[in-house]
Amino acid sequence: MAVRARPIDCNGNHSLPYLDLDPNLTYRIRVVNTGSLAGFTLRFQEENLQLIQLDGGIDVEPQSQKSATSAGILFPGQRMDLILRRSPEVDDQAPSSLTIDLDQGCFKYPNPALTPSHTFPIYYNNPSIPESNINPSAPAPIPNDTFHIDIERASSTSSLLASIPAKAQQTHVVYTKIEKLARLSNIPYGFFNRTTWKPQADPPIPLISLPRHQWDRNQLAVVTGPEPEWVDLIVNNLDEGPHPFHLHGHNFYVLFIHKASIGWGSYNPFQDAFPPGLSLPSASSDPEYTPYDLTRAILRDTVQIPSRGYAVLRFRADNPGVWLFHCHIAWHLASGMAMVVDVLGDIEGEWAHSALNL
Ligand SMILES: [Cu+2]
């Protein structure tokens, strides 16, 4: 049953939070999306931005556009580091503002109770602004025609990209979806392949100290083997919505992301001659040939995978452990949209004791 909602004003009559900056200083802004559902974009009125790092310390190639004023979309779990400078054309004392726009791509239906944009004042050289003097009404939103940094199109620095091999040593393919099944009382659950994840319960012992054959039926594992190897993980998103997937214990190179305009948009390299969404190459006899543009890859630990699309993630599986790979939308994880990546275990999964000296 639909329940009527009404707009909720979280600020009430209180003063807006504000930034108090010095126009002569350059600031490093570290942004973390700790949200449980939506991505967001930051827009500044009178400042210029430069994106320097993603996902906690991973350097990106400097942008040629020096006068960008907005950056995003930052999805749940993702981080970005920005350099913020006062625009040189602007009067030192002129007030400015920061607007945060919520991405509505994950909202299936219009929500009249949602205020998707919030604007906050920025003051310069005015450290003693009394709270009561701050205008409680929001500054006018910034027009949309500003230069934008699309962080999805950024690439890592060439030194980071130099270590990607032309081919991975192993390839794994998974499919993910939220499903409402009669056998699960029509309650939506997240799936990887045919498994909806729950914490290990039978027996209730951490996976890391349990031989793999004793893991319960709620654990889907990609097993990378006892030696460090380069792994391609191809994640097909069959769902109607996009999902931000996060891997623990490793960063991965995002080699390609595809969103289908028609059909499921899936890629199975064991069946398909070529990845959908990439142009067919001329016949190549080069054993090092790769369909992906490795000079444009981005190293990350959280990737937004579009609905009816896929992502090709390449990483070196060299950090021993049983690592969760999961959607970072809180209720999707809670409903089982997760699996594990078992790194440096032996064939039976007895590795934990020897590799970690447990
Ligand atoms: Cu999700």
Side-chain angles (χ1 to χ4, degrees), residues 20-338:
D20 184 14
L21 304 180
D22 182 328
N24 301 311
L25 294 184
T26 296
Y27 292 88
R28 178 179 190 153
I29 309 285
R30 313 195 81 166
V31 190
V32 182
N33 186 339
T34 59
S36 56
L37 178 61
F40 58 74
T41 294
L42 298 189
R43 286 188 284 137
F44 288 84
Q45 185 178 345
E46 306 289 3
E47 291 76 18
N48 292 333
L49 298 173
Q50 191 186 357
L51 176 70
I52 56 169
Q53 291 184 333
L54 285 172
D55 290 355
I58 303 173
D59 292 334
V60 300
E61 196 67 13
Q63 303 91 60
S64 54
Q65 174 58 258
K66 298 296 183 204
S67 56
T69 53
S70 66
I73 302 170
L74 195 73
F75 293 102
Q78 296 183 328
R79 292 85 76 208
M80 63 180 174
D81 284 37
L82 304 162
I83 298 295
L84 181 79
R85 292 184 182 86
R86 179 82 168 164
S87 170
E89 297 97 48
V90 177
D91 167 21
D92 273 4
Q93 300 295 326
S96 181
S97 64
L98 159 65
T99 295
I100 299 174
D101 297 310
L102 210 56
D103 173 51
Q104 296 190 62
C106 54
F107 297 112
K108 229 175 183 176
Y109 306 105
N111 179 356
L114 181 72
T115 308
S117 286
H118 288 267
T119 299
F120 304 93
I122 300 176
Y123 297 103
Y124 280 92
N125 278 345
N126 213 346
S128 59
I129 307 162
E131 290 281 318
S132 59
N133 282 359
I134 296 170
N135 183 350
S137 62
I142 304 163
N144 253 329
D145 56 351
T146 52
F147 291 116
H148 177 65
I149 299 170
D150 180 354
I151 62 172
E152 299 284 292
R153 298 175 68 89
S155 55
S156 296
T157 53
S158 51
S159 58
L160 280 175
L161 299 182
S163 61
I164 314 178
K167 288 194 187 322
Q169 290 153 293
Q170 47 181 284
T171 300
H172 302 267
V173 183
V174 292
Y175 296 82
T176 189
K177 194 176 193 311
I178 303 266
E179 291 199 271
K180 279 193 274 190
L181 302 177
R183 67 177 168 85
L184 296 172
S185 308
N186 291 318
I187 296 168
Y189 283 94
F191 282 82
F192 269 101
N193 295 354
R194 294 178 184 275
T195 304
T196 180
W197 179 81
K198 290 188 183 70
Q200 166 75 24
D202 179 25
I205 294 173
L207 298 178
I208 201 160
S209 49
L210 197 63
R212 201 178 298 120
H213 68 269
Q214 290 185 34
W215 293 6
D216 67 22
R217 62 200 295 270
N218 304 316
Q219 317 305 318
L220 175 73
V222 162
V223 179
T224 67
E227 300 296 329
E229 291 201 335
W230 282 93
V231 172
D232 274 2
L233 178 61
I234 294 160
V235 183
N236 291 290
N237 178 9
L238 303 177
D239 202 44
E240 296 299 324
H243 299 272
F245 286 102
H246 172 61
L247 176 61
H248 289 238
H250 299 77
N251 295 326
F252 47 72
Y253 291 97
V254 182
L255 301 190
F256 190 61
I257 293 177
H258 174 61
K259 178 177 170 56
S261 53
I262 188 167
W264 292 103
S266 295
Y267 174 43
N268 180 349
F270 300 105
Q271 290 181 348
D272 304 327
F274 203 72
L278 283 169
S279 48
L280 277 170
S282 51
S284 171
S285 56
D286 179 2
E288 296 291 276
Y289 171 77
T290 170
Y292 310 113
D293 183 356
L294 302 182
T295 67
R296 296 283 309 156
I298 179 88
L299 187 62
R300 303 202 68 161
D301 66 17
T302 308
V303 61
Q304 175 86 347
I305 304 183
S307 119
R308 298 195 177 203
Y310 70 91
V312 180
L313 313 177
R314 182 169 294 176
F315 63 98
R316 185 160 170 80
D318 59 1
N319 190 7
V322 180
W323 302 104
L324 203 63
F325 181 72
H326 65 93
C327 177
H328 223 288
I329 292 176
W331 76 266
H332 292 174
L333 171 58
S335 65
M337 199 171 228

